[in-house]
Amino acid sequence: MLLFKNARVVDYISITDKKQDILINAGEILAISENIETEVSKTIDCEGLVAIPGLFDMHVHARDPGQTHKEDLLTCAEAAAAGGVTGFLCMPNTEPVIDSAETIKYIAEKAKDCKVKIYTSCAITKGQKGKELCDFAVLAKAGAVAVTDDGRPVRSAQLMGEAMIAANDLGLAIISHCEDLDIACGGAMNAGIVSIELGVRGIHRVSENIITSREIDLARDLYGKVHIAHVSTKEAVAKIRAAKAENINVTCETAPHYFALTEEALRTRDADYRMNPPLRLQKDADAIIAAIQDKTIDCIITDHAPHSPEEKADFRTAPNGVIGLETSLAATLTFLYHTGKINLFDIVRLMCVNPRKILGIDGGKLAVGESADITLFDPDEEWHVEPDKFKSKSRNSCFKNMKLKGRVKYTIVDGEIVYGG
Ligand code: DOR
């Protein structure tokens, strides 16, 4: 038995915010209350720490199979544990693409040796080529919980509509990467003043906005449900807000870099600030924060996208993507909590409860009888982000060298301490 003493327990579902002890036995929470006195194998003093349900990141590129020089499931899980993330959803843009029962089984097998809980999303179209739908029934049976062509949009609205119906019927979440490839045209950053000044091809915001509108229209007309990935623009946020007001079944996510940074970071010509969608303008970051506050945005994810230093070396040719598992909670605390924009209940809702709810996965609450998946953090500890110290195989963090406030101290999965101590 494990006893965590005197943590500030914050749980959104039971609306708890109290200093309590948490007793864990056989992977489950046995008791949560004040002054638990019992014989245990280990007691951990949690004075000054906050205990929340384990974070769940529903947007992670684990790169396994096929690109394991960037990351593999084991290192990705190590990075997750270090970031307080007790479960995550793998994106399917691997090599081969996750579009078969065999690849799902490969991941499930390897996940057994990983420190955190790993779930799989599958491609919408075979090979993510945008031509032919995968057999969702087969993929669901093999264990997929979501479908997405993330990294690429589904170019055909007809095919996306068919996918929405098929996924909804099977209870699979369908996640849309909203990008018009003709408009984006291989750009390296947001299209705007900075891209013009740098002489770099830009990705126009309309690329994201137009496909966000399309998905909302499809969901409206098909009485469907869709989740919009990595929202970055003011207009996309406004469209999703209006859709929700119309009771259209749309949910969405954003990542810390979209509320913490802007295209100004690209002036360094450092490819570690390149991702897709790109960093936008201050008005976009402000709109993202307002949408987090009014619940238009349901989740904060990382879009953890490892790339090697060699791949990131040349600004113009580097692939898009940044890692985020080891900084997401700290960045959210720094830019949203310590600035008074959101409270700890919001963090639990955005990073623990809603992602699981959208994917139909159990957990996200601290209560007796629940699996002991818990994140303990010091909300006030300041630290410098040094990517060389990360558990991830890659170093492409856009929070590198920043001072963040809030640090994960322990991560517990099924009652085991997988990080800290
Ligand atoms: O920046 C990104 N990187 N955006 C994506 O959609 C894909 C991802 C990747 O796989 O590297």
Side-chain angles (χ1 to χ4, degrees):
M1 282 208 278
L2 252 180
L3 182 61
F4 293 91
K5 287 271 321 154
N6 291 318
R8 177 178 168 191
V9 175
V10 178
D11 185 53
Y12 178 73
I13 293 175
S14 59
I15 324 175
T16 304
D17 183 354
K18 253 205 279 200
K19 203 176 203 186
Q20 286 178 316
D21 301 343
I22 307 175
L23 182 64
I24 292 171
N25 185 42
E28 284 186 0
I29 299 176
L30 195 61
I32 306 183
S33 69
E34 283 161 49
N35 300 319
I36 298 177
E37 303 274 350
T38 184
E39 187 108 348
V40 291
S41 48
K42 191 169 178 168
T43 300
I44 292 166
D45 175 18
C46 296
E47 194 62 51
L49 302 188
V50 175
I52 59 173
L55 305 176
F56 191 98
D57 188 344
M58 65 177 290
H59 198 132
V60 171
H61 297 272
R63 305 296 191 215
D64 197 354
Q67 298 170 320
T68 52
H69 66 288
K70 299 174 195 255
E71 196 78 287
D72 61 46
L73 287 160
L74 290 154
T75 56
C76 201
E78 291 263 354
V85 174
T86 62
F88 65 77
L89 180 71
C90 291
M91 291 293 113
N93 61 339
T94 48
E95 287 170 17
V97 165
I98 307 174
D99 62 1
S100 69
E102 289 68 43
T103 315
I104 298 174
K105 280 186 196 125
Y106 161 83
I107 293 170
E109 264 317 299
K110 206 159 171 182
K112 286 183 191 157
D113 296 325
C114 291
K115 286 191 164 172
V116 306
K117 296 177 180 174
I118 298 178
Y119 297 82
T120 310
S121 68
C122 284
I124 292 174
T125 62
K126 290 186 182 162
Q128 292 191 301
K129 290 190 171 32
K131 297 283 180 225
E132 201 186 333
L133 288 190
C134 294
D135 187 336
F136 294 171
V138 168
L139 301 175
K141 200 162 164 238
V145 297
V147 291
T148 178
D149 268 1
D150 187 72
R152 296 181 60 76
V154 175
R155 223 167 176 153
S156 154
Q158 170 68 25
L159 213 52
M160 187 63 186
E162 289 174 22
M164 212 181 272
I165 292 171
N168 290 174
D169 281 353
L170 288 160
L172 287 168
I174 180 162
I175 304 170
S176 174
H177 169 111
C178 294
E179 180 182 12
D180 182 307
L181 291 175
D182 296 322
I183 297 173
C185 202
M189 61 179 292
N190 182 53
I193 300 290
V194 180
S195 68
I196 292 167
E197 283 179 16
L198 293 177
V200 169
R201 187 191 288 277
I203 304 172
H204 202 282
R205 51 204 300 115
V206 169
S207 158
E208 176 174 342
N209 297 342
I210 207 161
I211 303 297
T212 305
S213 296
R214 184 193 80 174
E215 310 307 42
I216 290 169
D217 282 343
L218 286 170
R220 179 195 293 107
D221 267 34
L222 300 172
Y223 299 97
K225 179 158 129 181
V226 67
H227 180 78
I228 308 289
H230 40 52
V231 175
S232 77
T233 70
K234 185 179 174 178
E235 298 79 19
V237 152
K239 288 168 200 288
I240 295 165
R241 183 179 291 114
K244 286 187 171 196
E246 240 191 275
N247 283 325
I248 296 172
N249 222 330
V250 55
T251 52
C252 71
E253 59 183 41
T254 194
H257 39 268
Y258 297 121
F259 55 74
L261 297 166
T262 68
E263 62 170 18
E264 288 298 320
L266 276 299
R267 288 194 186 278
T268 55
R269 284 181 172 272
D270 180 343
D272 287 348
Y273 299 100
R274 273 191 61 176
M275 76 289 288
N276 186 21
L279 297 175
R280 307 277 187 192
L281 309 178
Q282 192 57 50
K283 69 171 183 185
D284 297 298
D286 292 343
I288 295 285
I289 294 171
I292 286 171
Q293 289 173 314
D294 75 6
K295 301 189 180 174
T296 298
I297 290 177
D298 300 275
C299 315
I300 295 175
I301 52 87
T302 61
D303 199 358
H304 183 79
H307 293 294
S308 70
E310 295 73 35
E311 291 161 329
K312 280 290 197 180
D314 183 335
F315 178 68
R316 278 176 183 270
T317 57
N320 287 313
V322 291
I323 53 171
L325 281 166
E326 291 170 78
T327 48
S328 60
L329 180 61
T332 302
L333 288 164
T334 304
F335 291 95
L336 299 182
Y337 171 70
H338 287 298
T339 51
K341 301 216 159 56
I342 64 173
N343 61 33
L344 293 177
F345 284 130
D346 294 320
I347 290 187
V348 176
R349 180 173 50 77
L350 290 153
M351 302 182 81
C352 313
V353 176
N354 284 349
R356 290 182 172 94
K357 200 159 131 190
I358 289 164
L359 298 173
I361 288 169
D362 284 344
K365 47 186 173 234
L366 290 183
V368 172
E370 288 291 317
S371 292
D373 293 353
I374 306 170
T375 302
L376 282 137
F377 63 95
D378 179 340
D380 297 317
E381 184 176 325
E382 296 188 324
W383 58 289
H384 276 98
V385 179
E386 294 172 88
D388 284 344
K389 296 197 174 147
F390 281 168
K391 306 278 185 200
S392 170
K393 275 188 194 172
S394 289
R395 302 284 169 256
N396 52 315
S397 166
C398 61
F399 291 104
K400 63 185 175 185
N401 307 323
M402 253 191 220
K403 186 159 93 179
L404 298 179
K405 188 170 180 181
R407 192 155 206 189
V408 174
K409 290 293 176 185
Y410 295 96
T411 306
I412 295 120
V413 176
D414 282 336
E416 299 286 325
I417 299 175
V418 296
Y419 176 78

